Amino acid sequence: QGLTHVSVEGFPVERLTNSELSLIEDFLLRRDQLTHRDQLAVQILNTLHQRLGLPLPTIGRLEAEDTLAAILQAVQHRAKE
């Protein structure tokens, strides 16, 4: 399935901890084997938003997965700069 382009502009990727980034990466690597991957994606995203003091996102389950992928890409892009 193709990745929907999701904007993470305004999301403070620089404030994510290494363990949160590892969690996102592990989820994305193993998502094909996960039974409830859509609910898990939403749960991870909601947890990140709560910890960062951001309003909870109102997005669909598939979009949550794409958003996690976009967050990881944004962090990797920042690391290369």
Side-chain angles (χ1 to χ4, degrees):
Q1 69 183 348
L3 187 73
T4 309
H5 183 69
V6 178
S7 173
V8 290
E9 198 172 318
F11 187 89
V13 293
E14 70 282 353
R15 289 178 52 204
L16 294 175
T17 65
N18 286 336
S19 61
E20 288 166 338
L21 294 173
S22 293
L23 175 67
I24 294 171
E25 210 166 1
D26 288 346
F27 169 78
L28 293 171
L29 288 171
R30 296 181 41 225
R31 61 184 164 182
D32 292 333
Q33 300 143 25
L34 300 171
T35 317
H36 304 291
R37 71 191 248 186
D38 47 359
Q39 290 136 305
L40 192 55
V42 170
Q43 194 175 2
I44 292 169
L45 208 50
N46 284 344
T47 301
L48 294 176
H49 276 75
Q50 284 174 325
R51 191 191 70 74
L52 296 170
L54 302 171
L56 291 182
T58 50
I59 58 176
R61 293 173 173 181
L62 292 174
E63 199 180 353
E65 204 171 298
D66 290 340
T67 301
L68 289 174
I71 288 170
L72 192 62
Q73 282 177 339
V75 169
Q76 290 167 342
H77 182 71
R78 278 179 63 93
K80 288 178 189 165
E81 288 179 353

